[in-house]
Amino acid sequence: MIDIVIAGVGQTPVGEHWGISLRDLAMEAVSKAQMDANGLIPEAIYVGNMLGPVLSHQAHTATLIADYVGLQGIEAVTIEASGASGGAALRMGYLAIASGLVSSCLVVGVEKMTDQTGPGVEAAIATALDSDYEAAQGLTPTAQAAMLMNRYLHTYQAPRSAFGRFPIQAHANAASNPNAMYRNRVKESSYEQAGMVSSPLNIFDIAPAADGAAALVLARRDLLPMQVGNKLVRITGSSIVTDALAIHDRHDPLEFKAVRLSIERACRQSGMLPHDVDLFELHDAYSIYAVQTLEAAGFAERGRGWELALNGEISLTGKIPISTFGGMKARGNPGGAAGIYQAVEAVLQLRGEAKLNQVPEARRAMIQNLGGAGATAVVHIFEAVPEAF
Amino acid sequence: MIDIVIAGVGQTPVGEHWGISLRDLAMEAVSKAQMDANGLIPEAIYVGNMLGPVLSHQAHTATLIADYVGLQGIEAVTIEASGASGGAALRMGYLAIASGLVSSCLVVGVEKMTDQTGPGVEAAIATALDSDYEAAQGLTPTAQAAMLMNRYLHTYQAPRSAFGRFPIQAHANAASNPNAMYRNRVKESSYEQAGMVSSPLNIFDIAPAADGAAALVLARRDLLPMQVGNKLVRITGSSIVTDALAIHDRHDPLEFKAVRLSIERACRQSGMLPHDVDLFELHDAYSIYAVQTLEAAGFAERGRGWELALNGEISLTGKIPISTFGGMKARGNPGGAAGIYQAVEAVLQLRGEAKLNQVPEARRAMIQNLGGAGATAVVHIFEAVPEAF
């Protein structure tokens, strides 16, 4: 098996970038990642993007970016898996290098969601649902998450207020992340009094749509030039598992089955258990997703995932730190780029470069990116490479 | 290197399928391909689709299709590279199996272009151009091809009427293809008198937008169950190369540079030269593309690609048969599915199952799928497997 490493990372600040185009966002992230990898020239570029065709009238994005960043001629492919587009692009880059046919590649996530006219962002992201049997009835991802949370509260008699600990922790972590969209701290009382969006989801239970781009340089370790030998992070597990797209087609909507299976599979490949990871960048697009994911991963029993937050176990020094740079909730959720932000943040943790956000002695990280309400679940496991070769 | 074979193929008729949804088209092609592969259950599905989000309000298409065809749970990723989406999906499936991490997969191309309201098909496919510097100025792919043809006629003083031989040959081949959109023969006089669309392109120089789906079952040969051992076709070459997205950024717009390089690279991997192939399913979305491609591949000198058609060399018994089942022009051009139709047709040729469309003693086939005006060029080379193991 080829040893696959991340040799460079880059990201733009997440936010409302009304003055910066899709290609310019991508270029900033790519330039930073290439610089971080000591100028390594990749053979291919795989771009995760979710809404370019609908919101920016731009498809064919990978070829555009390859051209624009000065890499004309390289292999370029755009990858889409709804909110998991970034994670899926990473998976494709990983498989490409594992094949032995591509020695190095860029994996980019880019999204612009905030300054668009037309159908609006909520209608655009509803293309990730079943268009005939869900979206056409007026269902949106947020309404879907609200139904899941309602069901959860009813089934497990969980305290509504406990969910507030997720955004509170996320905002606390984002406070020291210069790339985060929201760096303000959130008080418990603010959460309690927050405006309702889709009952029972209030404004803090929902990650904000955002603009941003993040990039990774992947390479096979044995062919890396010597000077790129420092600060490497190895990818030891990778998986994509899907579930029924529509929630009404699932046996048990509260079980994130694809999440469970994708974590099992990636962990098996890595030769470890979920409990062996030091941090978990999970897909907290809605706080209910975080709860369901923690349960599916086995960090808590069914119906008790919220207790982890209540007991401080998701903080940087807790049992299972999540959203260490603010997560989707506070770093912001730039759609198809979110999965690459997770990867960049996990790499910074494993390099020991997370500064105020550092998880102590982080050696292993798991990242998880979802499309729809757990319909597509992508998991990657990263490990620090002890020392350079 | 892992030996990668195509173990099954399936296709729907190409046409205006107003009564059939995107998912139903895909299901028909997938069912046929799985049946053809003796019911092999794939581990993953890679779906090429270009316009689902814009024209059918459906993204996340691979997960939807996996779910709908009864393969819930498998890995699913949607691939987009404009008109080369199908070819790019094939490339991703090829890399996945070459990695050793995926043993078998479905590669599907699906597109619905004819019964849509909204922005219209021409605006939708213009998302494949540079949205800021081309599409925003009103440029469409057809207008772009018209400029290329104008430039070609001017530069090489080529006879306008010679271009008619491409659609005439395509329609002649489609006449015996039950899945073709247009099975009528075209006379030279009809071509001469055809309505102008974007001068100098008349209606016969442009492949029709269409609906359709096609599917392949890919597998590593050593892990195939015994009963799937017959009728195999091996993939011996695969490449994607890009060029500047906008034509105005190219040194020489009449040179399809990415086409040349992608063919060189795939041939080198196969250990052969372009002249060694027995047929070439090229991307004849416009007849000028066919001419430029034949020249880039080295089948004719620059400025003389049209002579091949004039001399009958592109017919089923010519030096380099193209569009053997009608090509995009007459079989129809279902966007992101077109590249998979090419693959299905090449497989039928190599199996000796092309009936009236059979190229005599076809052992090697090259297929080529383009995104934009040669901005993304995907090439695959197939070889017949002499006998089953």
Side-chain angles (χ1 to χ4, degrees):
Chain A
M1 184 66 200
I2 291 168
D3 203 3
I4 299 170
V5 294
I6 298 173
V9 298
Q11 60 181 319
T12 73
V14 177
E16 296 186 336
H17 297 305
W18 295 8
I20 311 179
S21 68
L22 199 66
R23 75 187 73 191
D24 283 311
L25 280 172
M27 182 158 80
E28 182 180 333
V30 166
S31 304
K32 287 175 174 172
Q34 282 196 274
M35 210 124 81
D36 191 43
N38 278 315
L40 190 136
I41 307 287
E43 295 177 7
I45 179 169
Y46 305 104
V47 176
N49 175 258
M50 178 183 171
L51 300 171
V54 173
L55 292 180
S56 302
H57 308 294
Q58 184 69 64
H60 215 178
T61 312
T63 299
L64 173 74
I65 294 171
D67 181 7
Y68 197 61
V69 303
L71 292 169
Q72 248 184 44
I74 67 170
E75 170 165 351
V77 179
T78 309
I79 310 295
E80 191 272 330
S82 168
S85 298
L90 174 54
R91 166 77 174 165
M92 292 297 106
Y94 176 78
L95 291 175
I97 297 189
S99 76
L101 294 163
V102 175
S103 298
S104 61
C105 68
L106 276 161
V107 177
V108 181
V110 60
E111 205 74 68
K112 268 185 79 69
M113 301 171 79
T114 72
D115 62 343
Q116 304 302 334
T117 53
V121 164
E122 199 66 19
I125 63 176
T127 58
L129 306 180
D130 186 315
S131 65
D132 295 344
Y133 296 96
E134 291 187 321
Q137 319 303 323
L139 190 68
T140 66
T142 297
Q144 201 179 41
M147 292 195 292
L148 284 174
M149 183 156 161
N150 246 334
R151 182 77 199 168
Y152 187 96
L153 293 174
H154 168 78
T155 304
Y156 300 117
Q157 296 295 307
R160 172 74 189 77
S161 62
F163 282 76
R165 297 301 179 101
F166 289 95
I168 288 169
Q169 181 67 54
H171 279 252
N173 293 351
S176 44
N177 175 6
N179 293 305
M181 186 167 186
Y182 294 126
R183 301 174 62 186
N184 59 311
R185 288 175 186 276
V186 174
K187 284 184 246 167
E188 210 161 326
S189 58
S190 311
Y191 180 80
E192 298 295 342
Q193 294 152 26
M196 199 58 77
V197 176
S198 181
S199 175
L201 295 183
N202 72 34
I203 187 79
F204 288 113
D205 290 310
I206 304 167
D211 310 328
L216 311 170
V217 176
L218 261 57
R220 49 187 295 171
R221 193 178 173 190
D222 58 344
L223 295 184
L224 267 185
M226 289 301 287
Q227 71 274 21
V228 195
N230 58 345
K231 303 185 299 180
L232 296 179
V233 165
R234 179 184 291 132
I235 305 177
T236 58
S238 169
S239 78
I240 297 185
V241 175
T242 56
D243 198 346
L245 188 66
I247 286 185
H248 59 248
D249 281 335
R250 299 186 196 165
H251 175 66
D252 176 0
L254 291 182
E255 191 201 7
F256 266 6
K257 194 171 155 192
V259 169
R260 176 170 61 76
L261 294 173
S262 58
I263 291 172
E264 280 177 15
R265 201 172 294 177
C267 284
R268 198 178 317 128
Q269 191 190 348
S270 287
M272 47 162 263
L273 293 170
H275 289 84
D276 295 327
V277 305
D278 301 307
L279 63 121
F280 184 17
E281 291 299 334
L282 51 71
H283 191 98
D284 60 335
Y286 303 98
S287 35
I288 179 67
Y289 283 11
V291 171
Q292 289 179 267
T293 291
L294 287 167
E295 295 176 9
F299 292 114
E301 283 174 40
R302 292 286 300 274
R304 302 180 68 174
W306 51 273
E307 289 182 4
L308 288 167
L310 208 61
N311 300 334
E313 300 292 13
I314 61 168
S315 72
L316 296 177
T317 54
K319 200 172 75 175
I320 183 66
I322 67 170
S323 308
T324 64
F325 283 85
M328 293 178 176
K329 174 61 199 83
R331 175 242 293 132
N333 182 7
I340 308 298
Y341 274 95
Q342 296 175 320
V344 169
E345 292 160 355
V347 166
L348 294 178
Q349 290 286 1
L350 297 179
R351 284 186 188 171
E353 297 175 1
K355 298 180 185 165
L356 290 174
N357 296 73
Q358 186 66 49
V359 171
E361 295 178 52
R363 308 300 303 158
R364 285 187 178 128
M366 181 156 67
I367 63 175
Q368 178 225 36
N369 200 196
L370 299 183
T376 303
V378 189
V379 173
H380 285 91
I381 293 170
F382 296 170
E383 294 190 24
V385 176
E387 55 191 86
F389 63 112
Chain B
M1 185 66 200
I2 292 168
D3 203 3
I4 300 170
V5 295
I6 298 173
V9 299
Q11 61 181 319
T12 73
V14 177
E16 295 186 337
H17 297 305
W18 296 9
I20 311 178
S21 68
L22 200 66
R23 75 187 72 191
D24 283 311
L25 279 172
M27 183 157 80
E28 181 179 334
V30 166
S31 304
K32 287 176 174 171
Q34 283 196 274
M35 210 124 81
D36 191 43
N38 277 315
L40 189 136
I41 307 288
E43 295 178 7
I45 179 169
Y46 304 104
V47 176
N49 174 257
M50 179 183 172
L51 300 172
V54 174
L55 292 180
S56 302
H57 308 293
Q58 184 69 64
H60 215 177
T61 312
T63 300
L64 173 74
I65 294 171
D67 181 7
Y68 196 62
V69 303
L71 293 169
Q72 248 183 44
I74 67 169
E75 170 165 351
V77 179
T78 309
I79 311 294
E80 191 271 329
S82 168
S85 298
L90 174 53
R91 167 77 174 164
M92 292 297 106
Y94 176 79
L95 290 175
I97 296 188
S99 76
L101 294 162
V102 175
S103 297
S104 61
C105 67
L106 276 162
V107 177
V108 180
V110 60
E111 205 73 67
K112 268 185 78 71
M113 301 171 79
T114 71
D115 62 344
Q116 304 302 333
T117 53
V121 164
E122 199 65 19
I125 63 176
T127 59
L129 306 180
D130 186 315
S131 65
D132 295 343
Y133 296 96
E134 291 186 321
Q137 318 304 323
L139 190 68
T140 66
T142 297
Q144 202 177 42
M147 292 195 292
L148 284 174
M149 182 154 161
N150 247 332
R151 182 77 200 167
Y152 187 96
L153 293 173
H154 168 77
T155 303
Y156 300 116
Q157 297 295 309
R160 172 75 190 77
S161 61
F163 283 76
R165 297 300 179 101
F166 288 94
I168 289 169
Q169 182 66 53
H171 278 253
N173 292 350
S176 44
N177 175 6
N179 293 304
M181 186 166 185
Y182 295 126
R183 300 174 62 186
N184 60 310
R185 289 176 185 273
V186 174
K187 283 184 246 167
E188 211 160 326
S189 58
S190 310
Y191 181 79
E192 298 294 342
Q193 294 153 26
M196 199 58 76
V197 175
S198 181
S199 175
L201 295 183
N202 72 34
I203 187 80
F204 288 114
D205 290 310
I206 305 167
D211 308 330
L216 311 169
V217 176
L218 260 57
R220 50 186 293 171
R221 193 179 172 188
D222 58 343
L223 295 184
L224 268 185
M226 287 302 285
Q227 70 272 21
V228 195
N230 58 345
K231 302 185 300 180
L232 296 178
V233 166
R234 179 184 291 133
I235 305 178
T236 58
S238 169
S239 78
I240 297 185
V241 175
T242 56
D243 198 347
L245 188 65
I247 285 185
H248 60 247
D249 281 335
R250 299 187 196 163
H251 175 65
D252 176 0
L254 292 182
E255 191 200 7
F256 266 6
K257 194 172 156 191
V259 170
R260 177 170 60 76
L261 294 172
S262 58
I263 291 172
E264 280 177 15
R265 201 173 293 177
C267 283
R268 199 178 315 128
Q269 190 191 348
S270 287
M272 47 163 261
L273 293 169
H275 289 85
D276 294 327
V277 304
D278 300 307
L279 62 121
F280 184 18
E281 291 299 333
L282 52 71
H283 191 98
D284 59 336
Y286 303 97
S287 36
I288 179 67
Y289 284 11
V291 172
Q292 289 180 267
T293 291
L294 287 168
E295 295 176 10
F299 292 114
E301 283 174 41
R302 291 286 300 275
R304 302 181 67 173
W306 50 274
E307 288 182 6
L308 289 166
L310 208 60
N311 299 335
E313 301 292 13
I314 61 167
S315 73
L316 296 178
T317 54
K319 200 171 74 175
I320 182 65
I322 68 170
S323 309
T324 63
F325 283 85
M328 294 179 176
K329 174 60 199 84
R331 174 242 292 131
N333 182 6
I340 307 299
Y341 275 95
Q342 295 176 321
V344 169
E345 291 160 356
V347 166
L348 294 178
Q349 290 286 2
L350 298 178
R351 285 185 188 170
E353 297 175 0
K355 299 181 184 164
L356 290 175
N357 295 73
Q358 186 67 48
V359 170
E361 296 177 53
R363 308 301 304 156
R364 287 186 177 128
M366 181 156 68
I367 64 175
Q368 178 226 36
N369 200 196
L370 300 183
T376 303
V378 189
V379 173
H380 285 89
I381 293 170
F382 296 169
E383 293 190 24
V385 176
E387 57 191 85
F389 63 112

